[in-house]
Amino acid sequence: MKTENYMPECIAVLGSTGSVGTQSLDVARRHNINIDLLTADKNVRQMEAQAREFSPKFCVMADENAAKELKLALADTSIKVLSGESGICEAVSRSSAVTVVNSILGEAGLMPTLAVLDSKKRLALSNKESLVIAGDIVMGRAKETGAEIIPVDSEHSAIFQSLSTSDKREIKKIILTASGGPFFGRTAEELKRVTLADTLAHPTWKMGAKITVDSASLMNKGFEVIEACHLFGVSASQIEVTVHRESIIHSAVEYIDNAVIAQMSVPDMRLCVQYALTYPQRTESPLEELDLFSLGKLTFARPDMQTFPLLALAYKAISEGGAMPAVLNAANEIAVAAFLQEKISFCEIFDTVGETFEEMSYAKGYTLLSDIRDSDREARRIAQKKIK
Ligand code: MN3
């Protein structure tokens, strides 16, 4: 057995009650890593249990009422309970963690991402919206402060692991794999009849409800194209989405000599979290071994961007730039929330997002964070109006 010198002594987990959050705690538990900061949205009961297990210095609830409740629940401990986005950012800067896992869901993860970079800690980034909404600003801030960003999203972790050069000119393209979701191969006509339950049945990955819907609509893959452009400094035209149903090859890099380097494993996010913590080293993990013989073969197909228009819209958003990726994300957050409450159908997600995107085409020139955040709010307002 290899000794675990490479594990950080102390980490913080933002969004600790979500899917990647709980898997991060599992990694911490297995390797005896201290956690001095946990944050969640409003699940007080689960946060209390996590706090009692890990005894962090800080717990933050994004929701004010949930924070009040947690404070009472933890009154017999010395854990400091804070609230709101400002509370998360304050706790990040006061935390003694060397690495912060940001697995907050949605736009809410952006300011915490900037707070991590400002405090010069390593950012293990699972909140893809930080890069979708404000990729230029986030990457610029990392460059300024020298803070490292290690991707946790499985495809981006795979690309990161497959990068054997620091010279971008050697990269021909990135092969971004997609499971295709539960509706791979369906026609537009068939998509009109899919239900919420059909949508939530993802073939290979176990994830939260929002991202499972985004996987079914291929919006998630679209966000990942944008995320990859920023993380690896390539253009969208260099990213080829490839449907790979088995989710064994998590993505690949093709070089100018036509060599392709890919990363493979059974699908399990704990590898991605652990690698972000131990990089550039590796250590044992709880993953099952990859059994190529039982797999037998791997398959690949082109995505259908006509039937799944949100993937095409993501390519458009990154090429138009400015606040358009933020608009795309905001409209999608509203539409998916309405779909999860069964207020709109699956295909109405496409309509709501597409129409909001059209209406806000003026936002493509925006570059300031304040303008981008305003566009985010405006896109939410417009999308919401279309649903009611
Ligand atoms: Mn992914």
Side-chain angles (χ1 to χ4, degrees):
M1 285 281 280
K2 193 169 167 180
T3 51
E4 291 176 1
N5 312 333
Y6 309 128
M7 282 293 167
E9 258 171 50
C10 177
I11 63 169
V13 179
L14 316 183
S16 62
T17 58
S19 172
V20 173
T22 53
Q23 294 182 79
S24 301
L25 298 192
D26 191 41
V27 172
R29 198 178 281 126
R30 281 164 192 277
H31 295 284
N32 291 315
I33 302 169
N34 293 322
I35 298 182
D36 83 339
L37 161 62
L38 292 169
T39 85
D41 185 21
K42 53 180 146 216
N43 191 334
V44 176
R45 201 158 294 176
Q46 199 179 350
M47 177 56 94
E48 186 193 347
Q50 292 181 349
R52 291 198 182 276
E53 179 183 352
F54 290 97
S55 306
K57 224 182 296 170
F58 304 98
C59 269
V60 191
M61 301 303 288
D63 182 87
E64 305 282 337
N65 288 326
K68 279 183 200 150
E69 229 181 283
L70 184 69
K71 209 171 214 168
L72 287 175
L74 294 177
D76 62 320
T77 72
S78 59
I79 300 169
K80 208 166 160 41
V81 177
L82 304 174
S83 70
E85 184 175 270
S86 61
I88 297 172
C89 295
E90 182 194 333
V92 162
S93 69
R94 291 171 64 186
S95 156
S96 27
V98 286
T99 298
V100 181
V101 180
N102 182 358
S103 55
I104 293 173
L105 185 69
E107 185 270 341
L110 173 60
M111 298 313 281
T113 278
L114 293 173
V116 175
L117 299 175
D118 286 340
S119 64
K120 299 185 167 64
K121 296 174 170 80
R122 176 186 284 187
L123 174 62
L125 185 61
S126 171
N127 172 265
K128 63 187 69 173
E129 291 84 357
S130 297
L131 289 170
V132 170
I133 296 168
D136 290 332
I137 292 165
V138 168
M139 295 310 289
R141 193 71 64 89
K143 206 170 172 190
E144 243 170 69
T145 62
E148 284 177 299
I149 302 179
I150 313 292
V152 170
D153 203 348
S154 64
E155 296 79 1
H156 305 78
S157 173
I159 297 162
F160 186 75
Q161 293 177 61
S162 303
L163 276 175
S164 59
T165 176
S166 52
D167 187 346
K168 273 189 328 210
R169 291 168 305 180
E170 292 180 5
I171 300 171
K172 187 195 272 179
K173 71 178 182 206
I174 284 173
I175 298 167
L176 188 71
T177 54
S179 73
F183 305 142
F184 173 70
R186 304 270 179 112
T187 63
E189 205 44 51
E190 287 167 337
L191 275 193
K192 285 184 186 155
R193 293 186 297 272
V194 303
T195 65
L196 177 58
D198 298 335
T199 312
L200 292 180
H202 194 275
T204 47
W205 289 99
K206 217 174 138 280
M207 308 172 289
K210 159 75 168 56
I211 188 168
T212 304
V213 176
D214 288 345
S215 296
S217 69
L218 296 196
M219 182 74 275
N220 180 57
K221 208 47 59 179
F223 289 150
E224 291 181 350
V225 169
I226 299 172
E227 196 184 356
C229 287
H230 290 297
L231 276 171
F232 306 112
V234 297
S235 68
S237 62
Q238 283 174 285
I239 300 177
E240 184 168 71
V241 173
T242 305
V243 177
H244 167 49
R245 299 294 283 161
E246 299 84 4
S247 297
I248 294 298
I249 296 182
H250 300 303
S251 279
V253 179
E254 183 175 318
Y255 293 90
I256 47 176
D257 57 0
N258 292 338
V260 176
I261 301 184
Q263 185 258 330
M264 300 162 77
S265 72
V266 296
D268 189 323
M269 287 306 294
R270 290 175 299 181
L271 176 64
C272 309
V273 172
Q274 179 174 307
Y275 189 68
L277 302 183
T278 61
Y279 168 80
Q281 269 84 33
R282 291 182 185 271
T283 189
E284 286 80 8
S285 85
L287 252 74
E288 257 175 68
E289 272 180 41
L290 182 60
D291 181 354
L292 291 173
F293 299 114
S294 72
L295 277 167
K297 63 175 182 183
L298 298 175
T299 62
F300 306 93
R302 284 182 204 284
D304 178 354
M305 293 211 227
Q306 236 133 43
T307 308
F308 298 89
L310 296 183
L311 177 55
L313 203 55
Y315 274 96
K316 192 173 177 198
I318 183 85
S319 71
E320 290 188 348
M324 295 318 287
V327 166
L328 181 67
N329 175 69
N332 183 65
E333 280 191 27
I334 296 299
V336 172
F339 173 68
L340 287 172
Q341 293 164 25
E342 298 188 87
K343 284 184 185 164
I344 62 172
S345 70
F346 186 73
C347 287
E348 282 170 324
I349 298 174
F350 300 163
D351 303 339
T352 307
V353 175
E355 289 166 22
T356 306
F357 190 87
E358 281 306 306
E359 268 183 54
M360 289 202 60
S361 61
Y362 62 84
K364 53 186 147 205
Y366 292 174
T367 54
L368 291 176
L369 185 58
S370 55
D371 288 339
I372 291 171
R373 296 196 93 197
D374 286 346
S375 304
D376 173 286
R377 281 186 283 271
E378 179 64 3
R380 281 167 206 272
R381 196 187 61 77
I382 294 174
Q384 198 67 61
K385 225 171 64 190
K386 291 183 189 300
I387 285 158
K388 275 175 189 162

